[in-house]
Amino acid sequence: MDAAIRVEHLSKRFGRLEVLRDVSCAVAEGEVVCIIGPSGSGKSTLLRCMNGLEEASSGQVFVHGVAVHDRATDLDTVRREIGMVFQRFNLFPHKTVLENITLAPGLLRGLAASEARERAEALLAKVGVLEKRDAWPNQLSGGQQQRVAIARALAMQPKIMLFDEPTSSLDPEMVGEVLAVMQALADEGMTMAVVTHEMGFARRVADRVLFLDEGRLLESGSPAEVFEQPREERTRQFLSKIL
Amino acid sequence: MDAEILWFGWFRADIIQEYGALFWSGLRMTVGVTVVCILQGTLLGLVIGLARLATARNAVANAACRFLLRWPATVYISFFRGTPLFVQILLMHFAVVPLFLNPADGWLISGDLARDLRQDYGALITGIVSLTLNSAAYISEIFRAGIQSIDRGQMEAARSLGLSHARAMYHVVLPQAFRRMLPPLGNNAIALLKDSSLVSAVGLAELAYAARTVAGAYSRYWEPYLTISVMYWLLTLGLAWGVRHLEARYGRGDSR
């Protein structure tokens, strides 16, 4: 049984800057993995290598056994099975909330317009913004936009969801509503990789926590292990600053 | 003499009336050439703009993009923006078109057909081709700037859903870029409308040519040139109005 995501000896350089150094990790089917670490530690880059938005400098990334690092692989097909949620939402501003969600399933899953619409409305109800279906993205609050972005990713019925600091550009009072949607998704058994600074969420929801520092994977374990008994001094320092 | 300075003596409206048909056909020619060249220039400009931005993941394919797409596009844009349109028109009319349409040995068409085409439509062909090529160079830069002004996250979000690069461009990036490109595209259309007057130099019977004909016949200059000035002015005002109308229509989703 292959893991949902398997990363082996992954390194990534931007010019002379080494962002990831020989990182190996895996996300099992149905597992929720939170990736934490100081800013600039390579967390987002690691996540973006998982769906090929960044290309590995060396090493291997497999998603359900498919080699994402291989240039011969058709990434468009792989990405249909991997939803991604961004820090800055990245909703399409020229499309309504509903159009944002139906665009990809209509084009790629061959859904009829009515079916795509029904499915989108069900997802909007699930994330609690159904009443905004005909609004434009810029008419929504940050929290609402991010929940629409989650619904947009879910509309492709992905098997894996990647979250890249999904609450970092939200006003504090809106963080909770987005985390609640993510927690519900985790409870349904979605395979998730989450880059986050929300330690409470990581502790409560994650099956496993990865700690990255200066491009190296320093620690990997259950929330209890990483938060209560970190093995590395560097992890202790980071946690003492943030908790 | 004193009486002639008064408006009605000074401005002989009867001349305009006499040549009304010439002005009318000139107006239609100016509008026709402008519309055709805007449409063609926009299509060609999109192609050149995309060529200028072409990249590939694969090193070999990327080298091919550089030498076969990016560099030719850059040279094209540099030439057409870096030389006077008037010179381009003369070059086109007296050097390039005879190369392609030549009774003796045309690269495209030879024989009597080439002679007839050059005689009847030579100036029109020159005008349409040079104005299209010239405006495509400017429009391609408008496209490039418009595409590059769209946040990278838009392309990434579309790609992360599984859309191909082409589909992400078509459905997500270009519609947003187009909205931002409308004002500069409008300016370009107005410039094109006015620059079409340069083609009168090779004998295309548009507005400026009509004015020159009248001026030549009567040795009077206020009447014909003031008349076409007003006509150009009204046309550019109409174009500007049309662009504002389009901006409002495609501005949905903008901050309101």
Side-chain angles (χ1 to χ4, degrees), chain B residues 87-193:
Chain B
V87 174
Q88 291 166 23
I89 289 169
L90 296 178
L91 195 62
M92 181 63 64
H93 194 68
F94 296 112
V96 178
V97 170
L99 217 53
F100 286 88
L101 307 181
N102 201 310
D105 54 348
W107 290 2
L108 202 62
I109 300 173
S110 308
D112 289 345
L113 179 61
R115 182 183 302 115
D116 293 347
L117 273 177
R118 285 247 309 270
Q119 230 155 46
D120 299 343
Y121 301 107
L124 181 63
I125 292 169
T126 296
I128 287 182
V129 173
S130 9
L131 289 175
T132 296
L133 295 182
N134 182 269
S135 63
Y138 286 91
I139 291 174
S140 72
E141 285 293 271
I142 296 174
F143 270 103
R144 185 178 65 86
I147 290 168
Q148 286 182 332
S149 77
I150 303 301
D151 182 53
R152 236 163 61 105
Q154 291 291 309
M155 177 56 89
E156 290 183 349
R159 297 305 303 274
S160 78
L161 289 164
L163 268 63
S164 64
H165 186 271
R167 274 180 155 164
M169 260 299 170
Y170 182 78
H171 290 283
V172 175
V173 176
L174 282 180
Q176 296 180 57
F178 183 64
R179 166 69 185 82
R180 287 190 197 176
M181 289 175 334
L182 272 175
L185 279 179
N187 287 342
N188 189 75
I190 287 168
L192 181 62
L193 174 75

Side-chain angles (χ1 to χ4, degrees), chain A residues 55-129:
Chain A
E55 196 180 8
S57 300
S58 65
Q60 299 172 311
V61 179
F62 297 95
V63 172
H64 293 297
V66 178
V68 172
H69 57 276
D70 187 346
R71 283 188 172 159
T73 301
D74 178 16
L75 283 179
D76 296 339
T77 314
V78 181
R79 287 180 181 140
R80 292 180 198 181
E81 316 300 330
I82 313 173
M84 186 160 195
V85 174
F86 299 85
Q87 180 178 350
R88 303 284 317 277
F89 326 136
N90 296 349
L91 291 181
F92 307 136
H94 62 304
K95 294 187 176 294
T96 65
V97 164
L98 212 53
E99 289 167 347
N100 261 274
I101 300 175
T102 55
L103 175 69
L107 287 173
L108 304 175
R109 299 282 195 219
L111 286 191
S114 60
E115 198 181 342
R117 191 186 163 91
E118 270 171 40
R119 221 195 259 177
E121 287 177 345
L123 284 167
L124 282 174
K126 183 173 164 177
V127 300
V129 280

Side-chain angles (χ1 to χ4, degrees), chain A residues 178-211:
Chain A
V178 171
L179 291 182
V181 169
M182 291 167 62
Q183 171 141 27
L185 209 54
D187 292 343
E188 289 170 21
M190 176 65 80
T191 307
M192 292 165 57
V194 184
V195 171
T196 187
H197 292 293
E198 295 292 329
M199 295 304 144
F201 176 83
R203 198 188 288 247
R204 203 168 59 243
V205 181
D207 298 306
R208 210 144 46 79
V209 175
L210 308 181
F211 176 71

Side-chain angles (χ1 to χ4, degrees), chain B residues 29 33 48 50 66 79 92 114 127 134 137 151 157 178 182 255:
Chain B
M29 180 61 84
V33 165
I48 296 168
L50 289 175
R66 172 186 296 172
F79 175 79
M92 181 63 64
N134 182 269
D151 182 53
F178 183 64
L182 272 175
S255 41

